[in-house]
Amino acid sequence: MLSPLDLGWTTLKNRILMGSMHTNLEEIPGGFERAAVYFAERAKGQVGLIVTGGISPNPEGCVAAMAAKLNTEEEVKHHKLITSAVHAEGGKICMQILHTGRYGYHPKIVAPSAIQAPINFFKPKELSPEEIEKTIDDYVQCALLAQKAGYDGVEIMGSEGYLINQFIAKRTNQRQDEWGGNYENRIKFPIQIVNETRKACGENFIIIYRLSMLDLVEGGSTWSEVVQLAKEIEKAGATLINTGIGWHEARIPTIATVVPRKAFAWVTKKLKSEVNIPLIAVNRINMPDVAEEVLSEGCADMVSMARPFLADAELVLKTMEGRIDEINTCIACNQACLDHTFQMKISSCLVNPRACHETELNYIPTNNPKNIAVIGGGPAGMAYAHVAAMRGHKVDLYESSRQLGGQFNMAKIIPGKEEYAETIRYYQRMLSKYDVNILLNTKAEKQFLINKYDEIILANGVTPRKLDIEGIDHPKVLSYVDVLLHKAEVGRSVAIIGAGGIGFDVAEYLVHHGNQEEEIKTFLATWGVDHEYKHGGALKDAKIQVPAREVYLLKRSTGKHGATLGKTTGWIHKASLVANNVQMISDVTYQKIDDDGLHIVVKGEARILPIDHVIICAGQEPSRALYQELLDEGLQPTLIGGADEAVELDAKRAIHQACHLASVV
Ligand SMILES: Cc1cc2nc3c(=O)[nH]c(=O)nc-3n(C[C@H](O)[C@H](O)[C@H](O)COP(=O)(O)OP(=O)(O)OC[C@H]3O[C@@H](n4cnc5c(N)ncnc54)[C@H](O)[C@@H]3O)c2cc1C
Ligand SMILES: Cc1cc2nc3c(=O)[nH]c(=O)nc-3n(C[C@H](O)[C@H](O)[C@H](O)COP(=O)(O)O)c2cc1C
Ligand code: SF4
């Protein structure tokens, strides 16, 4: 059988695996052609081994009706596009086989027992013993077809609460036959899949098994069960064991930005001495130094980096060439990747809109260099200046404050959003690399711009919305900018007016104490992950510090708080504020602010909140004064980012728009 040495896994380059991501390119006409270019760019970027997104071995296991599967010869030819493109760049690629079980979004779903998932409105049908045997065979046939399509191996998805995991855990497997009951019976399903796949595909085919090392749900595996399964999977013939963390229905964040870097590498390390085949650590290993730490601390033999390869296809190449400071860091926001996947949109990346759009968005050198003024050094302005300068234009970037980054300078100080500083770091480096003339502390005015530039790009952002409430000028009233940027002192009791993304972030900032020592341990304790793994699922009671302040989060509209937040992260922000006793009140009418506090009416009832401060987070307006002045001079400036459209947490649109416009200027 292949050993890590045969595969050349001796250098850092070859110890980094691009983790599996279902991007929805699998699901659209022409998607495989696009996926081929997407994967080939990553292979060219020198990643040692790539794993595709999950592909079902049969129709029942698909993520949605008619979604990607591989069980016919006809489908093999689509996959050949991917494998030949990757091999042409010298890369290696495995196809992930993922049967969703009770997580599929369609009426034909199946599971070991007919128990509906709390996150799905479809109820699964219980598999009969014959259907179980047939499903195992479907895995094997799928692996054989993958081999025929040219894949170097397969990854068998055994974690995150999908079908295999549903067999393993008592919570979802309540069968009385030979596939249920005791643990040995419950793990027969994955063992047989690996065993038969090995026999069918031969010794030199890579088989990665993604093993759920932490279920993070009640009724999940105990540590001794995890070890037992790992040993059996090794015996059955897997080449590598990859780590799976948390079922999709778990209420503990596992990949969002609030999760510290390498927060789960300890669990892979725990398994290290138990098996002889190489192990792969996962989740929030987003930069090469973090990968190095995980490897040098002996946590694993390889690391999986998934989203970091959306953010930067050349992550490994840049590392090998000593250009780590040029890596565009994944900030774990999920806004353009996982949120898109769950909205059935094509995944991309907030900080790299080219991801999964490699055939549509390209930064080709210009043969018509222009003089360009970019006004505003926030995400939109930095992204525009970067792409335009990289293409050969001469760019002056005006920034009125003393630093680049715009509102990301506020985002980066929110506990759990520290990664946003990385985007500023990346752009600073790239602007310097491509000789952008950065004019800090320089408020652009129309006289600087007239008759000097071929193009004027207004990326001058937003102005916080003013509210018309009696007492709005009272000393108790602050804006989020006063608090986050100018560090205004804030009292112990606070009302936040406006419960959009910024209101949520300000609340998170205010309830924290600012002591982030032992980051990973604090994170695990706060969310109730048992580092000592005393019970199945590794859960324990969450340990929340007494919040630093009493906070009210108010909104005018009716309905639940947090409805406008990110699809895969909104629940995390809300759970954190609930745990910190933030009082969320909707349907609020604001009456006045005075020495007694904030006077409000809630559902017809008058109340006074006796707070020390009121913080206004009531939205933003595009800054348009300079735009109007330039129009009056007969110029035709282009608005981008918040200056074009102000929608609070909207860096994805800002950067996307900037990159697209700068690619054609
Ligand atoms: C606390 C907080 C958290 C956030 N979290 C997220 C998040 O998680 N996800 C997300 O997508 N978005 C988030 N956002 C919003 C995100 O930061 C904005 O969508 C994004 O910054 C908009 O980029 P921009 O470049 O258009 O504008 P801005 O970032 O507002 O930048 C505009 C820049 O222009 C400069 N400027 C203005 N006038 C002039 C002038 N005349 N001359 C020179 N310079 C000028 C300003 O100083 C500023 O630096 C957050 C915002 C805040 C405040
Ligand atoms: C858009 C997206 C799609 C994903 N699809 C899959 C998948 O099909 N199979 C799988 O095992 N994991 C999938 N994952 C999880 C990743 O493999 C990985 O575990 C997760 O992103 C955390 O690692 P990272 O911090 O390196 O991104 C997906 C993640 C994202 C962001
Ligand atoms: S969208 Fe956000 S989480 Fe997803 S890859 Fe890009 S930076 Fe990372």
Side-chain angles (χ1 to χ4, degrees), residues 20-22 54 96 157 210 255 283-284 306-307 338 341:
S20 170
M21 285 180 290
H22 194 94
Q96 187 183 70
M157 177 48 163
R210 194 160 192 191
I255 73 168
N283 286 26
R284 292 286 286 120
R307 295 167 299 169
L338 206 59
T341 300

Side-chain angles (χ1 to χ4, degrees), residues 272-305:
K272 221 27 215 101
S273 57
E274 306 281 358
V275 287
N276 299 308
I277 53 172
L279 299 184
I280 306 169
V282 296
N283 286 26
R284 292 286 286 120
I285 300 169
N286 64 343
M287 285 294 275
D289 57 328
V290 189
E292 283 276 13
E293 280 167 26
V294 169
L295 295 170
S296 65
E297 286 163 9
C299 300
D301 305 279
M302 286 182 81
V303 295
S304 164
M305 299 168 90

Side-chain angles (χ1 to χ4, degrees), residues 257 331 333 335 350 374-382 397-414 417 420 439 441-445 458-463 480-481 484 501-503 505-506 573 620 623 626 640-645 647-655 657:
T257 190
I331 58 174
C333 65
Q335 283 177 238
L350 180 141
V374 177
I375 317 304
M382 294 189 297
L397 175 59
Y398 293 83
E399 170 51 52
S400 54
S401 75
R402 63 187 165 79
Q403 57 185 354
L404 292 175
Q407 293 174 66
F408 266 29
N409 287 305
M410 290 184 268
K412 75 182 188 194
I413 63 158
I414 306 299
K417 280 196 172 179
Y420 286 58
L439 300 130
N441 299 307
T442 311
K443 182 168 185 213
E445 289 169 11
L458 288 181
N460 53 331
V462 295
T463 317
Y480 65 88
V481 181
L484 299 176
I502 294 180
D505 275 357
V506 170
H573 297 297
Q620 305 166 323
S623 299
L626 181 57
I640 62 170
D644 178 38
E645 199 182 335
V647 204
E648 282 218 358
L649 308 194
D650 201 16
K652 181 179 80 173
R653 197 188 62 84
I655 295 175
Q657 182 186 35

